[in-house]
């Protein structure tokens, strides 16, 4: 992790008006979200697919980077410029950002799927698809243990022919 710092990934950038990336994801992923005049979520409901918790306060919600910033650094982002790291950290176009319970996000930390998986096994297929998609889009490497775990997660996908994670990432 030589040279890594979370600060090298400028995150929660302004998206529009006074809304930053966190607030946009809170509104996107929540239900009945009410925002104040500076775009902060003041009420709403959020479902955390990692642990199947219903959250009733934005303070209970973390915005998870599907592929954590430190994992991205180890997987190739150390060679990116700041603009690309900013794009990665604030990506609203790919499944890189998701509202989850703060406790599940902190349990995950910067771990890859071979080190941490959502406790909700019913979410494993979606998780593996999102992880693999983000790694593919950003041309990030996948370790062998990571790939093996993703393959096992893909096995939970309904009505999907067996296909390896490495084949999906091409």
């Amino acid at each position: 992790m030589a040279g890594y710092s979370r600060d090298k990934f400028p995150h929660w950038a302004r998206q529009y008006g006074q809304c930053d990336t966190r607030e946009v994801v809170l509104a996107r992923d929540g239900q009945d979200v009410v925002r104040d005049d500076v775009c902060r979520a003041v009420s709403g409901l959020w479902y955390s697919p990692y642990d199947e918790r219903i959250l009733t306060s934005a303070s209970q919600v973390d915005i998870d980077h599907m592929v954590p910033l430190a994992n991205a650094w180890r997987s190739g982002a150390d060679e990116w410029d700041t603009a690309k790291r900013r794009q990665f950290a604030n990506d609203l176009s790919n499944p890189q950002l998701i509202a989850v319970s703060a406790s599940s996000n902190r349990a995950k930390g910067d771990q890859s799927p071979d080190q941490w998986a959502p406790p909700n096994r019913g979410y494993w297929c979606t998780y593996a698809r999102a992880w693999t998609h983000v790694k593919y889009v950003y041309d990030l490497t996948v370790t062998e243990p990571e790939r093996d775990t993703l393959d096992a997660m893909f096995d939970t996908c309904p009505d999907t022919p067996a296909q390896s994670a490495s084949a999906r990432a091409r």
Side-chain angles (χ1 to χ4, degrees), residues 80-157:
W80 298 347
D81 63 16
T82 300
K84 186 163 183 180
R85 288 194 291 265
R86 175 182 287 115
Q87 175 190 354
F88 180 80
N90 295 281
D91 186 348
L92 295 169
S93 300
N94 291 292
Q96 169 61 350
L97 299 170
I98 181 173
V100 297
S101 70
S103 58
S104 67
N105 188 44
R106 290 168 193 164
K108 176 184 174 187
D110 69 353
Q111 300 178 88
S112 58
D114 56 300
Q115 301 162 323
W116 183 89
N120 174 13
R121 289 180 61 95
Y123 192 68
W124 282 13
C125 178
T126 301
Y127 188 83
R129 285 178 175 162
W131 183 279
T132 304
H133 179 84
V134 171
K135 286 270 184 143
Y136 174 77
V137 166
Y138 286 95
D139 197 27
L140 296 169
T141 62
V142 176
T143 66
E144 188 172 335
E146 185 180 343
R147 186 190 65 235
D148 292 346
T149 301
L150 289 165
D151 282 342
M153 289 177 148
F154 281 125
D155 288 343
T156 69
C157 296

Side-chain angles (χ1 to χ4, degrees), residues 23 26-35 41-46:
E23 297 302 337
L26 284 171
R28 181 196 70 195
D29 291 0
Q31 289 184 292
D32 303 320
V33 176
V34 175
R35 296 191 267 192
V42 294
S43 65
L45 286 175
W46 294 267

Side-chain angles (χ1 to χ4, degrees), residues 51-101:
D51 52 7
E52 300 185 283
R53 290 185 53 206
I54 302 295
L55 310 166
T56 57
S57 169
S59 65
Q60 300 171 311
V61 180
D62 274 3
I63 307 306
D64 181 42
H65 290 92
M66 176 61 64
V67 174
L69 305 179
N71 181 281
W73 182 266
R74 291 188 298 266
S75 304
D78 60 323
E79 298 178 11
W80 298 347
D81 63 16
T82 300
K84 186 163 183 180
R85 288 194 291 265
R86 175 182 287 115
Q87 175 190 354
F88 180 80
N90 295 281
D91 186 348
L92 295 169
S93 300
N94 291 292
Q96 169 61 350
L97 299 170
I98 181 173
V100 297
S101 70

